[in-house]
Amino acid sequence: MDDVGILIEALPYIKDFHGSCMVIKIGGHAMIKENMLEDTIKDILLLYFVGIKPVVVHGGGPEISEKMEKLGLKPRFVNGLRVTDKETMEIVEMVLDGKINSKIVTTFIKNGGKAVGISGKDGLLVIARKKKVKKKEGEKEKIIDLGFVGETEFVNPDILRILLDNDFIPVVSPIATDLEGNTYNLNADLVAGDIAAALKAKKLIMLTDVDGILEDLNDPNSLISTMKANDLKDMLKKGKLQGGMIPKGEAVLKALDGGVEKAHIINGSIPHAILLELFTKKGIGTMILR
Ligand SMILES: Nc1ncnc2c1ncn2[C@@H]1O[C@H](COP(=O)(O)OP(=O)(O)OP(=O)(O)O)[C@@H](O)[C@H]1O
Ligand SMILES: [Mg+2]
């Protein structure tokens, strides 16, 4: 009866979510181990088979750095963004599209799903522009050149709608071009946020390697389980988010601003984190409300 109880607890959620679209960002840190990715894909397939339309966006930071080091290049970051010269851009594209995107699609197939791997380039999903990055040096702010680091200029979700309407699961890598054909490396969190807003998704779900947003970065017991967009804005302003959590915070704010109902930041290394967060009363990560 316990097992049935779990299903019955999930019923109101399933009813509420049926037919809605959800954007799920899988961080590179949330797929380091093979079974982590597989568990996540199974969760996403369960969403799919109860009538939710999932869109997957993935990162891949750790694997890009590993490949660079193997090729004798040293990864460098400024404000959490990878310095991306031409050679690095080639590696980024190889790893994200050729390896990670393909691995995610394969894992869907292995578990009975119909996924389609695309980058932001395909179907003009994302038009990018070069990102201007400011860095504080003492009192002054300097604009620095990070090479082929891009940001979203425009999202055109037509290709996603076509795939979703035909029961495919889109898997998107955060690579896009400008209209001159320059290829850029975009932050996957921000791409996920922009896509969620363009689709007016029901939810944006970010899987990472920490339990969620910590009130105090040094205190693992300070997890915030529910917060409002304004509180998150405040934390960003006060510098309480650092490194990889900054683009996550910004992406969540953009998504909520763009009409997404709720955002969740959860730990992808907890087995079946998505199901625990979405279908049980308690939830496990940080939920951010408009
Ligand atoms: N206030 C905070 N609460 C929780 N984590 C924080 C906070 N500020 C900074 N972080 C850091 O953010 C990291 C998560 O972002 P990170 O970019 O490293 O991973 P990812 O986005 O999941 O993976 P990828 O960048 O490969 O897609 C955590 O490991 C943590 O160290
Ligand atoms: Mg990141």
Short mmCIF file of all heavy atoms in Angstrom, two decimals, residues 125-149:
data_model
loop_
_atom_site.label_atom_id
_atom_site.label_comp_id
_atom_site.label_asym_id
_atom_site.label_seq_id
_atom_site.Cartn_x
_atom_site.Cartn_y
_atom_site.Cartn_z
N LEU A 125 17.01 28.67 -33.54
CA LEU A 125 16.45 28.68 -32.18
C LEU A 125 16.99 29.86 -31.36
O LEU A 125 16.24 30.60 -30.75
CB LEU A 125 16.76 27.34 -31.50
CG LEU A 125 16.42 27.22 -30.02
CD1 LEU A 125 14.94 27.48 -29.76
CD2 LEU A 125 16.80 25.84 -29.47
N VAL A 126 18.31 30.00 -31.37
CA VAL A 126 18.92 31.12 -30.62
C VAL A 126 19.81 31.92 -31.56
O VAL A 126 20.67 31.36 -32.23
CB VAL A 126 19.79 30.60 -29.45
CG1 VAL A 126 20.44 31.76 -28.70
CG2 VAL A 126 18.97 29.74 -28.49
N ILE A 127 19.58 33.22 -31.62
CA ILE A 127 20.52 34.11 -32.30
C ILE A 127 21.37 34.75 -31.20
O ILE A 127 20.84 35.26 -30.22
CB ILE A 127 19.78 35.21 -33.11
CG1 ILE A 127 18.90 34.58 -34.19
CG2 ILE A 127 20.77 36.21 -33.71
CD1 ILE A 127 19.65 33.82 -35.25
N ALA A 128 22.69 34.66 -31.38
CA ALA A 128 23.59 35.12 -30.32
C ALA A 128 24.30 36.41 -30.72
O ALA A 128 24.29 36.81 -31.89
CB ALA A 128 24.62 34.04 -30.04
N ARG A 129 24.87 37.05 -29.75
CA ARG A 129 25.80 38.16 -30.02
C ARG A 129 26.95 38.02 -29.03
O ARG A 129 26.84 37.32 -28.02
CB ARG A 129 25.09 39.50 -29.85
CG ARG A 129 24.57 39.72 -28.46
CD ARG A 129 23.98 41.11 -28.27
NE ARG A 129 23.32 41.14 -26.98
CZ ARG A 129 22.05 41.45 -26.76
NH1 ARG A 129 21.28 41.83 -27.75
NH2 ARG A 129 21.55 41.42 -25.55
N LYS A 130 28.02 38.69 -29.36
CA LYS A 130 29.19 38.63 -28.48
C LYS A 130 28.84 39.29 -27.16
O LYS A 130 28.18 40.34 -27.13
CB LYS A 130 30.35 39.39 -29.15
CG LYS A 130 31.68 39.21 -28.45
CD LYS A 130 32.76 39.97 -29.21
CE LYS A 130 34.01 40.12 -28.40
NZ LYS A 130 34.94 39.00 -28.55
N LYS A 131 29.26 38.66 -26.08
CA LYS A 131 28.95 39.21 -24.76
C LYS A 131 30.02 40.20 -24.34
O LYS A 131 31.21 39.91 -24.43
CB LYS A 131 28.87 38.06 -23.76
CG LYS A 131 28.32 38.44 -22.40
CD LYS A 131 28.21 37.20 -21.53
CE LYS A 131 27.82 37.57 -20.12
NZ LYS A 131 26.38 37.58 -19.87
N LYS A 132 29.57 41.36 -23.90
CA LYS A 132 30.52 42.35 -23.37
C LYS A 132 30.62 42.12 -21.87
O LYS A 132 29.62 42.18 -21.16
CB LYS A 132 30.03 43.77 -23.65
CG LYS A 132 30.07 44.14 -25.11
CD LYS A 132 30.12 45.67 -25.28
CE LYS A 132 30.23 46.03 -26.74
NZ LYS A 132 28.91 46.15 -27.38
N VAL A 133 31.79 41.82 -21.41
CA VAL A 133 31.95 41.50 -20.00
C VAL A 133 32.73 42.60 -19.29
O VAL A 133 33.79 43.01 -19.73
CB VAL A 133 32.68 40.15 -19.84
CG1 VAL A 133 32.82 39.78 -18.38
CG2 VAL A 133 31.92 39.06 -20.58
N LYS A 134 32.13 43.06 -18.19
CA LYS A 134 32.81 44.10 -17.41
C LYS A 134 33.48 43.45 -16.21
O LYS A 134 32.92 42.55 -15.58
CB LYS A 134 31.79 45.13 -16.91
CG LYS A 134 31.27 46.02 -18.01
CD LYS A 134 30.26 46.99 -17.42
CE LYS A 134 29.34 47.50 -18.51
NZ LYS A 134 27.98 47.74 -18.01
N LYS A 135 34.67 43.95 -15.90
CA LYS A 135 35.34 43.42 -14.72
C LYS A 135 35.80 44.59 -13.86
O LYS A 135 36.32 45.59 -14.38
CB LYS A 135 36.54 42.58 -15.15
CG LYS A 135 37.05 41.71 -14.04
CD LYS A 135 38.29 40.95 -14.44
CE LYS A 135 38.79 40.21 -13.22
NZ LYS A 135 40.15 39.76 -13.37
N LYS A 136 35.59 44.45 -12.56
CA LYS A 136 36.02 45.51 -11.65
C LYS A 136 37.51 45.40 -11.41
O LYS A 136 38.03 44.34 -11.09
CB LYS A 136 35.28 45.37 -10.31
CG LYS A 136 33.95 46.09 -10.31
CD LYS A 136 33.57 46.50 -8.89
CE LYS A 136 32.26 47.27 -8.93
NZ LYS A 136 31.20 46.62 -8.17
N GLU A 137 38.21 46.54 -11.59
CA GLU A 137 39.62 46.58 -11.20
C GLU A 137 39.80 47.75 -10.28
O GLU A 137 39.83 48.90 -10.72
CB GLU A 137 40.51 46.69 -12.45
CG GLU A 137 40.74 45.32 -13.06
CD GLU A 137 41.85 45.28 -14.08
OE1 GLU A 137 42.56 46.30 -14.27
OE2 GLU A 137 42.00 44.21 -14.69
N GLY A 138 39.84 47.47 -9.00
CA GLY A 138 39.84 48.54 -8.01
C GLY A 138 38.52 49.27 -8.09
O GLY A 138 37.46 48.67 -8.02
N GLU A 139 38.57 50.59 -8.30
CA GLU A 139 37.35 51.39 -8.39
C GLU A 139 36.77 51.36 -9.80
O GLU A 139 35.60 51.60 -10.01
CB GLU A 139 37.66 52.85 -7.99
CG GLU A 139 37.93 53.05 -6.51
CD GLU A 139 36.70 52.75 -5.64
OE1 GLU A 139 35.79 53.58 -5.60
OE2 GLU A 139 36.65 51.64 -5.04
N LYS A 140 37.66 51.06 -10.78
CA LYS A 140 37.23 51.16 -12.18
C LYS A 140 36.62 49.87 -12.72
O LYS A 140 36.93 48.78 -12.26
CB LYS A 140 38.44 51.53 -13.05
CG LYS A 140 38.73 53.02 -13.05
CD LYS A 140 39.82 53.31 -14.07
CE LYS A 140 40.73 54.42 -13.59
NZ LYS A 140 42.11 54.24 -14.03
N GLU A 141 35.74 50.02 -13.72
CA GLU A 141 35.21 48.85 -14.43
C GLU A 141 35.81 48.82 -15.82
O GLU A 141 35.82 49.82 -16.52
CB GLU A 141 33.68 48.95 -14.54
CG GLU A 141 32.98 48.20 -13.44
CD GLU A 141 31.50 48.01 -13.72
OE1 GLU A 141 30.98 48.66 -14.63
OE2 GLU A 141 30.89 47.20 -13.02
N LYS A 142 36.34 47.65 -16.19
CA LYS A 142 36.97 47.53 -17.49
C LYS A 142 36.18 46.54 -18.33
O LYS A 142 35.69 45.53 -17.82
CB LYS A 142 38.39 46.98 -17.30
CG LYS A 142 39.47 47.79 -17.99
CD LYS A 142 40.85 47.27 -17.66
CE LYS A 142 41.11 45.88 -18.23
NZ LYS A 142 42.46 45.38 -17.98
N ILE A 143 36.06 46.83 -19.65
CA ILE A 143 35.43 45.83 -20.53
C ILE A 143 36.53 44.90 -21.03
O ILE A 143 37.56 45.36 -21.53
CB ILE A 143 34.69 46.51 -21.70
CG1 ILE A 143 33.45 47.22 -21.14
CG2 ILE A 143 34.28 45.47 -22.76
CD1 ILE A 143 32.51 47.77 -22.16
N ILE A 144 36.30 43.60 -20.85
CA ILE A 144 37.35 42.66 -21.28
C ILE A 144 36.82 41.75 -22.38
O ILE A 144 35.64 41.47 -22.46
CB ILE A 144 37.88 41.80 -20.12
CG1 ILE A 144 36.71 41.42 -19.19
CG2 ILE A 144 38.95 42.52 -19.35
CD1 ILE A 144 37.09 40.44 -18.18
N ASP A 145 37.75 41.29 -23.21
CA ASP A 145 37.38 40.47 -24.36
C ASP A 145 37.56 39.00 -24.00
O ASP A 145 38.66 38.53 -23.76
CB ASP A 145 38.30 40.85 -25.54
CG ASP A 145 37.82 40.19 -26.84
OD1 ASP A 145 36.90 39.34 -26.76
OD2 ASP A 145 38.37 40.51 -27.90
N LEU A 146 36.43 38.26 -23.99
CA LEU A 146 36.52 36.83 -23.66
C LEU A 146 36.47 35.98 -24.92
O LEU A 146 36.28 34.76 -24.84
CB LEU A 146 35.37 36.44 -22.73
CG LEU A 146 35.37 37.07 -21.35
CD1 LEU A 146 34.21 36.55 -20.53
CD2 LEU A 146 36.68 36.79 -20.62
N GLY A 147 36.60 36.59 -26.08
CA GLY A 147 36.56 35.82 -27.33
C GLY A 147 35.14 35.45 -27.70
O GLY A 147 34.24 36.27 -27.68
N PHE A 148 34.95 34.15 -27.99
CA PHE A 148 33.65 33.72 -28.53
C PHE A 148 32.65 33.33 -27.43
O PHE A 148 31.99 32.31 -27.52
CB PHE A 148 33.86 32.57 -29.52
CG PHE A 148 34.63 33.00 -30.73
CD1 PHE A 148 36.01 32.82 -30.81
CD2 PHE A 148 33.97 33.63 -31.78
CE1 PHE A 148 36.72 33.25 -31.92
CE2 PHE A 148 34.68 34.06 -32.89
CZ PHE A 148 36.06 33.87 -32.96
N VAL A 149 32.57 34.18 -26.41
CA VAL A 149 31.55 34.00 -25.39
C VAL A 149 30.35 34.83 -25.81
O VAL A 149 30.48 36.03 -26.04
CB VAL A 149 32.05 34.43 -23.99
CG1 VAL A 149 30.90 34.45 -22.99
CG2 VAL A 149 33.14 33.48 -23.54
#
